[in-house]
Amino acid sequence: MTFPPPGAPRARIPGPQQPPPPYPRIRAGLWRRFLGGGLAVWALTVLAAYATADTALLPTPILLGGFLLPVVLVLWAYERHGCDLGVSAVLGCFLAGGTLGVLGASVTENQLLGPSLRTFAAAGPVEEAVKLGALMFVLRRLPGIHGMRAGLVLGAAVGCGFAALEGSGQAFGAALSADGPGLRTLLETEALRGMLTPLGHGLWTAMAGGALLAHRRPNGRFRLGSGPVLAAWLGAGLLHTLWDSTHGIALWLVARLAGPYPARELFAQGYVPGPTAAQEHLLAVFTAAGLVLVCLLGIARVRSLARRGASWRNTP
């Protein structure tokens, strides 16, 4: 047997070809670029709207402000913890949460509950049940997706889709109303909702979705009647109701500290008649503080659930 002389070229034997992934990949760090570019475009459109007072520019900051942070949160969750779930599942949950979730919540609340105090108290659990229904609709033919990590990621995607569409719709409604807020107030409100609302909706549905998929049967059936799933749904609904109550609680606090009006009547009316500058400032501070507190409670709960899930420990 002869050997080639030293330095002679050797034939390269091709290695086994790796099959392409069954779903498209998202490049690492895309959420940072999306966040930076989106904030720049949003700021430019806001400045242009202030400078020109052109109402035709309002849809751009409203839609961009409503969708920017929800999309960024979903991209971050997919990149860090959900790459093996696939783009189609995450995108499907985001779209289903926005379309089916908002539609189902609106119809259910208006037709079944009616305008009353019961509607206000039940709005949170009803919306969380509808969002869970959207999650189950997307995963009905994907029995292999289960576990706490998958539930947290996909539940957050459903909640962020719901927050994006609902927040944009409410901003459009305020802009189109005859006695709606001014341009500055509208944009400030949109900025606050854009920062906090996705955290709220995303965290609440992540809590319920994590419990739902953690207790999913091997054949793909959902155990809606199990105790942990019901407890997670009720907990998410309670945080949702507390979120909706922050404005009324802030009014009650303002009335107790600085206002001459009965606190209970102000809570029911939803506004302070003829507020002073100090009352307006206190109302804004208490409302923002309440929203931040609810977000912190949701973050603490989701982190607690993540530590319990064995599959979550294998993620970055």
Side-chain angles (χ1 to χ4, degrees), residues 30-85:
L30 179 61
W31 68 272
R32 295 188 183 91
R33 294 187 291 273
F34 190 87
L35 177 60
L39 286 176
V41 174
W42 184 86
L44 289 175
T45 54
V46 168
L47 291 175
Y50 273 127
T52 63
D54 187 2
T55 56
L57 293 174
L58 284 180
T60 301
I62 287 177
L63 286 175
L64 191 57
F67 277 82
L68 178 60
L69 192 56
V71 173
V72 167
L73 290 176
V74 171
L75 288 175
W76 175 84
Y78 173 82
E79 180 182 323
R80 293 290 302 274
H81 307 292
C83 288
D84 59 328
L85 299 176

Side-chain angles (χ1 to χ4, degrees), residues 146-232:
H146 58 83
M148 179 63 71
R149 176 176 59 86
L152 291 174
V153 173
L154 297 179
V158 170
C160 286
F162 186 95
L165 205 60
E166 183 193 48
S168 299
Q170 291 179 351
F172 271 117
L176 295 176
S177 62
D179 55 345
L183 179 61
R184 179 178 178 180
T185 303
L186 176 64
L187 293 177
E188 288 176 349
T189 303
E190 176 67 16
L192 179 63
R193 289 184 58 86
M195 289 187 295
L196 296 180
T197 302
L199 287 175
H201 281 285
L203 292 170
W204 306 327
T205 315
M207 292 166 47
L212 180 68
L213 293 190
H215 294 84
R216 191 180 189 182
R217 297 184 185 276
N219 60 1
R221 297 179 65 87
F222 298 100
R223 301 175 59 188
L224 295 177
S226 64
V229 175
L230 290 176

Side-chain angles (χ1 to χ4, degrees), residues 30-31 73 93 96 132 135 179 182 229 236 275 279 301 303 313:
L30 179 61
W31 68 272
L73 290 176
C93 287
L132 275 184
L135 177 62
D179 55 345
V229 175
Q279 288 175 329
R301 180 56 180 166
R303 288 177 62 87
R313 303 190 186 100

